Amino acid sequence: MHIHTTSLPGILVIEPEVFSDDRGHFFESFNLRHFRETTGVQDEFVQDNQSRSRHGVVRGLHYQVGRPQGKLLRVVGGEVFDVAVDLRRGSDTFGRWYGVVLSAYNRRQLWIPPGFAHGFAVTSGAAEVVYKTTDYRVPDCERSLRWNDPALDIAWPLSGAPVISDKDREATLLADAELYS
Ligand SMILES: Cc1cn([C@H]2C[C@H](O)[C@@H](COP(=O)(O)OP(=O)(O)O[C@H]3O[C@H](C)C(=O)[C@H](O)[C@H]3O)O2)c(=O)[nH]c1=O
């Protein structure tokens, strides 16, 4: 497992060790002891999520106030451009975003600690995203940040208007968003 720091302190890109032979390949997609030892992250994961989205979908930018979720993401089919936005009031990187391509091919994983909004754009025909969270979903705590907020200026690799949910169509701008203290 190789750990890469990013432009946003706390956000990590993880590349698993892949064992290939003439049958195909094997890799440990998650090993709690190894994850904790190599990243130093001690958060506990309590929920696994999986979503499938077609080309051009943007899911996000989502976060929970009061019950922030850390997320460990990977793509098991297709490819996405995955984005985290720092919403921690007082952070040196507040309002800044980090994006990375996650795909079934590159097998990269992304660790996003609590305190960030998260979203992704599907750049393949379809994408299957699986991720662990460090707290449960609490519907009343869910918030949406506008994917195309000019204040964020996220360089989404989209060729046209994305397919988004009604919830995301009504998302909040950063200037009006509830933040993490
Ligand atoms: C997130 C979630 C959703 N749901 C139900 C609620 C809805 O009936 C349905 C779809 O929910 P939603 O449209 O909020 O799904 P996404 O737009 O993929 O939301 C996720 O997208 C971004 C990328 C995230 O990082 C979050 O994990 C999450 O907000 O699944 C559940 O039952 N449990 C859950 O944990």
Side-chain angles (χ1 to χ4, degrees), residues 47 49 59 62 71 118 120 131 137 142 167:
Q47 184 173 317
N49 294 334
R59 291 184 185 252
H62 299 160
K71 296 169 186 170
H118 171 248
F120 59 82
Y131 53 108
R137 178 212 183 204
E142 289 183 312
K167 175 175 77 171

Side-chain angles (χ1 to χ4, degrees), residues 53-83:
S53 308
R54 61 190 172 96
H55 180 77
V57 163
V58 168
R59 291 184 185 252
L61 297 153
H62 299 160
Y63 62 107
Q64 290 195 159
V65 293
R67 296 282 295 272
Q69 293 173 305
K71 296 169 186 170
L72 178 61
L73 303 119
R74 67 192 182 99
V75 171
V76 296
E79 178 184 272
V80 306
F81 182 72
D82 205 271
V83 173

Side-chain angles (χ1 to χ4, degrees), residues 19-135:
F19 301 95
S20 299
D21 60 30
D22 59 4
R23 299 168 298 168
H25 67 258
F26 175 94
F27 64 98
E28 290 184 358
S29 54
F30 180 71
N31 177 312
L32 181 59
R33 183 178 60 238
H34 202 185
F35 174 78
R36 286 185 168 164
E37 285 173 356
T38 54
T39 64
V41 171
Q42 298 303 312
D43 298 57
E44 180 186 358
F45 295 104
V46 297
Q47 184 173 317
D48 276 0
N49 294 334
Q50 182 162 336
S51 68
R52 180 175 177 82
S53 308
R54 61 190 172 96
H55 180 77
V57 163
V58 168
R59 291 184 185 252
L61 297 153
H62 299 160
Y63 62 107
Q64 290 195 159
V65 293
R67 296 282 295 272
Q69 293 173 305
K71 296 169 186 170
L72 178 61
L73 303 119
R74 67 192 182 99
V75 171
V76 296
E79 178 184 272
V80 306
F81 182 72
D82 205 271
V83 173
V85 178
D86 190 349
L87 295 183
R88 300 167 300 179
R89 192 178 281 115
S91 165
D92 290 342
T93 55
F94 172 77
R96 283 185 41 196
W97 63 275
Y98 171 78
V100 64
V101 173
L102 304 179
S103 72
Y105 177 75
N106 70 23
R107 307 182 196 108
R108 280 185 195 143
Q109 302 185 16
L110 186 63
W111 163 247
I112 304 174
F116 291 78
H118 171 248
F120 59 82
V122 177
T123 49
S124 54
E128 199 88 23
V129 179
V130 296
Y131 53 108
K132 298 178 177 298
T133 62
T134 62
D135 200 349

